[in-house]
Amino acid sequence: MSAARPAAPPGPKDEDKGGVRAALGGLTTRGRSFLAAGVAAAACAYVLGQSDLLRVGLLLAALPLICVAVLYRTRYRVAASRRLSPSRVPAGAEARVHLRMDNVSRMPTGLLMLQDHVPYVLGPRPRFVLDRVEAGGRREVSYRVRSDLRGRYPLGPLQLRLSDPFGMCELSRSFSAFDTLTVIPRTEVLPAVRLAGEASGYGDGRQRTLALAGDDDIIPRAYRYGDDLRRVHWRSTARYGELMVRREEQPQRARCTVLLDTRRIAYQGGGPDSAFEWAVSGAASALVHLLERGFAVRLLTDTGSSVPGAGAEGFAGSQESADSAGLMLDTLAVVDHSDGAGLSRAIDVLRGGDSGGNEGLLVAFFGDLDEEQAALAARMRQRSGAAVAFVLDSRTWVTGGTVTGTVDERLRQLREAGWTALAVGPGTPLTDLWQQAGRERTQAPGGTNGFSEGWS
């Protein structure tokens, strides 16, 4: 739940500063009629010499002017705040927006009409009518927003229309505060993965590496209560004058790169049920699942850009996996098609690793691949211990047909390079494909190496 926004400053926006002219412009039909009747009565009283009629005319003319003056002062003494609950929701889920109005003046308000500006994809523009708010009082209202399209959507500004009890005048005020609702991709809960591969980067089986290679390469640390005395390094103890012990074995986090193909030419169609949205949702599901399984995850696109992480080379750190997942999901919330035509930049990023030619697990979501791009994708396998590819034939997502022979040829090309490659039909759950990939990897020759052992 996001924190409540502070009350808006007492001053209105520049467009609301119209002085007396703007205030008089807020007179309603009733207020204008009273003012005109009062002026007419005063004129007739002057011509006819009727003092009583003059008093009536002055009263009729003064009443709307008094309402204007009081209301014009009151509108600067009303504060507003907005709170989102929550501020980040998956596509198709609802969020609630709470609005609070505070009357910070010593006078009660008249009728209040609220209107909050929201993008049309979140639903109709909410409007509320509030009765009189006592001095120092507050009113709270709420409304729900929902979007099937991911993205970042601004909420606000909040517009307030005040009316006096006699209906003589209506004045509006626009607050400057905005809030942002982030709609992230839908994610699927993937099956539990138990990876026990020999190389780093495959599931729960992590390598543990010593912080020393030989007696000359020891990196000692100061003795702490509870350390095993058998680990005391006496040569360093004599050098530093205090007990020093050998450093403990350090766990080496399993690595995984989730690659999302965003090329515009690789996808056809649009909307929440399109092939591209499935690929984005699949990438989100995979990275969340792998972070929960203890992987150090990097999100990579065909443009070569990756989400920065706390670890090296853009891999998410081990301490704050929830924050890392949030950062990547926020990135996927606004990811769009790229104008690039190839995957070469992604290959360059994979080549730039310094892990001895093994970047761990590679999970890729590809759109339409021609022969050249399939060959480039096949080369990515050289920089990973295991690789799984989900290939979308976007034409079938538009027509509702079956996977074409061209896709089968691309799958064969990837499998020959060592990929576990699967075709993705319209609306296929990622959970089913995830399990199928595990079965195929286990049954493949040499499938016990790394990735395959962990699939269930």
Side-chain angles (χ1 to χ4, degrees):
M1 180 181 296
S2 63
R5 296 291 296 268
K13 296 176 69 176
D14 293 340
E15 62 223 31
D16 292 331
K17 294 181 179 180
V20 177
R21 183 176 301 176
L24 293 176
L27 285 171
T28 62
T29 302
R30 178 185 299 179
R32 295 176 188 272
S33 299
F34 266 68
L35 183 61
V39 172
C44 292
Y46 177 77
V47 173
L48 300 176
Q50 296 292 328
S51 58
D52 293 337
L53 183 60
L54 178 62
R55 295 189 186 96
V56 173
L58 292 176
L59 177 62
L60 292 176
L63 182 59
L65 295 178
I66 292 174
C67 291
V68 168
V70 173
L71 200 61
Y72 187 71
R73 177 178 176 80
T74 301
R75 72 170 181 168
Y76 297 130
R77 307 293 292 175
V78 178
S81 62
R82 182 190 296 104
R83 178 169 54 89
L84 300 182
S85 175
S87 60
R88 180 195 289 126
V89 295
E94 291 184 344
R96 184 168 289 275
V97 183
H98 302 268
L99 302 176
R100 191 181 77 182
M101 303 300 301
D102 292 276
N103 182 14
V104 296
S105 67
R106 299 179 180 179
M107 298 179 59
T109 67
L111 192 67
L112 299 179
M113 290 170 283
L114 304 179
Q115 176 177 279
D116 206 7
H117 285 263
V118 300
Y120 71 94
V121 296
L122 297 182
R125 182 169 296 177
R127 295 181 175 89
F128 304 94
V129 178
L130 303 180
D131 292 331
R132 174 180 176 274
V133 180
E134 65 278 5
R138 69 175 55 172
R139 295 290 185 272
E140 294 186 5
V141 295
S142 65
Y143 63 93
R144 294 179 294 180
V145 290
R146 176 181 179 274
S147 175
D148 291 326
L149 298 175
R150 56 188 174 77
R152 286 197 184 102
Y153 300 102
L155 301 178
L158 177 66
Q159 288 186 333
L160 172 66
R161 182 174 289 272
L162 302 93
S163 177
D164 67 280
F166 301 102
M168 298 289 180
C169 182
E170 288 184 352
L171 295 179
S172 62
R173 176 179 178 186
S174 182
F175 297 89
S176 59
F178 285 83
D179 285 272
T180 301
L181 175 67
T182 302
V183 180
I184 61 177
R186 297 185 183 94
T187 57
E188 298 183 39
V189 179
L190 300 180
V193 176
R194 184 187 60 193
L195 303 177
E198 300 165 356
S200 65
Y202 312 135
D204 295 336
R206 304 178 184 176
Q207 281 187 333
R208 302 187 66 86
T209 58
L210 286 171
L212 52 96
D215 217 28
D216 295 333
D217 300 323
I218 290 176
I219 305 177
R221 63 169 176 82
Y223 174 84
R224 291 194 290 263
Y225 179 78
D227 284 339
D228 190 346
L229 292 177
R230 290 175 296 180
R231 293 176 44 236
V232 173
H233 189 251
W234 298 107
R235 183 179 300 177
S236 298
T237 298
R239 180 185 304 172
Y240 294 104
E242 60 177 326
L243 278 178
M244 305 294 291
V245 297
R246 301 175 187 267
R247 294 186 62 183
E248 297 176 351
E249 293 180 342
Q250 301 296 322
Q252 181 176 341
R253 279 184 65 79
R255 285 186 170 186
C256 175
T257 298
V258 177
L259 173 63
L260 175 62
D261 181 8
T262 64
R263 295 171 299 132
R264 189 181 303 275
I265 62 175
Y267 298 94
Q268 299 181 23
D273 297 325
S274 64
F276 180 67
E277 292 302 320
W278 189 99
V280 174
S281 177
S285 302
L287 68 88
V288 169
H289 173 75
L290 292 168
L291 280 171
E292 291 175 350
R293 297 298 297 169
F295 281 81
V297 181
R298 171 176 59 182
L299 175 62
L300 181 65
T301 67
D302 58 288
T303 62
S305 60
S306 61
V307 179
E313 303 179 22
F315 287 91
S318 60
Q319 300 299 323
E320 301 293 342
S321 60
D323 294 341
S324 300
L327 177 61
M328 294 183 185
L329 290 176
D330 287 347
T331 301
L332 289 176
V334 295
V335 70
D336 200 358
H337 291 291
S338 68
D339 295 326
L343 303 170
S344 57
R345 293 184 179 178
I347 294 180
D348 293 339
V349 174
L350 293 174
R351 284 177 176 173
D354 60 354
S355 55
N358 192 332
E359 285 295 311
L361 175 63
L362 174 60
V363 180
F365 295 84
F366 293 119
D368 297 331
L369 296 173
D370 55 25
E371 185 175 359
E372 179 183 357
Q373 299 310 314
L376 289 176
R379 290 166 53 190
M380 295 180 185
R381 173 64 178 80
Q382 302 172 2
R383 292 293 301 178
S384 63
V388 180
F390 300 97
V391 183
L392 290 85
D393 183 6
S394 62
R395 187 178 306 172
T396 64
W397 286 71
V398 177
T399 62
T402 58
V403 176
T404 63
T406 303
V407 176
D408 291 335
E409 176 63 23
R410 303 295 174 252
L411 294 177
R412 182 192 62 79
Q413 193 173 354
L414 292 175
R415 287 166 181 165
E416 289 178 352
W419 285 81
T420 300
L422 299 174
V424 181
T428 306
L430 178 60
T431 303
D432 298 343
L433 295 172
W434 196 258
Q435 292 176 334
Q436 181 183 350
R439 291 192 299 268
E440 291 191 6
R441 185 71 185 177
T442 302
Q443 297 169 2
T448 57
N449 180 18
F451 177 71
S452 60
E453 291 188 15
W455 292 84
S456 58

